[in-house]
Amino acid sequence: MPETTSFPRHLILGGAMITGVLLALAVHMLGARYGLDLGGLWRSDTHDFMPAGAAIAWWLIASVGFSGGYFTANLMDSAVSGQIPQRMRQFLIVVGVLILAGAGQSASAPSPIPTVSGVLAGIAALCLGAVMAFCGAYFALRKA
């Protein structure tokens, strides 16, 4: 019977956090193109308590960061022992590249939101994605 190997937990946690943050930032950039931006939280020209687009963006970024960290930690943990088929690995790589390419394409266009609000929204998305990716990866590693 072959001996099972495993990555160090810190390496899996770091890789899962990086992937979760990148996916959260990609969703933030793509969402800003479609009007779902966190910058709506700092606008003073609206009379609503909180714009619906900002709330949807907040939850979308948080859920993508968490699930990205969780699933990446699970995949990294099971990939070491060879439990992921080659076709599944290739599919996941293609999906990740397409998401990040779409985010890069949307980031290269002019921003529809003001600069200061966009910077604050980007920092908020980065922090939210990092915290949620850490939580997702931590829960996945606790389960494993």
Side-chain angles (χ1 to χ4, degrees), residues 5-78:
T5 59
S6 63
F7 281 156
R9 296 283 188 199
H10 294 350
L11 183 63
I12 294 174
L13 185 66
M17 280 183 59
I18 289 171
T19 303
V21 167
L22 286 176
L23 287 174
L25 287 176
V27 166
H28 166 66
M29 286 186 269
L30 289 171
R33 280 283 141 225
Y34 296 108
L36 299 175
D37 62 336
L38 291 176
L41 295 174
W42 297 285
R43 287 196 193 126
S44 61
D45 59 351
T46 60
H47 300 292
D48 299 334
F49 176 66
M50 179 186 294
I56 292 171
W58 181 268
W59 283 102
L60 190 62
I61 290 169
S63 63
V64 167
F66 183 85
S67 61
Y70 183 83
F71 290 124
T72 302
N74 276 337
L75 287 172
M76 286 179 73
D77 197 35
S78 63

Side-chain angles (χ1 to χ4, degrees), residues 59-141:
W59 283 102
L60 190 62
I61 290 169
S63 63
V64 167
F66 183 85
S67 61
Y70 183 83
F71 290 124
T72 302
N74 276 337
L75 287 172
M76 286 179 73
D77 197 35
S78 63
V80 172
S81 60
Q83 296 175 354
I84 297 178
Q86 185 69 18
R87 293 264 189 213
M88 179 60 113
R89 282 187 223 160
Q90 292 170 350
F91 173 73
L92 292 173
I93 289 170
V94 167
V95 167
V97 167
L98 288 176
I99 288 174
L100 293 176
Q105 187 268 339
S106 70
S108 66
S111 177
I113 54 179
T115 305
V116 174
S117 180
V119 169
L120 289 175
I123 291 172
L126 178 71
C127 293
L128 177 64
V131 168
M132 295 308 293
F134 173 77
C135 291
Y138 182 77
F139 288 142
L141 292 178

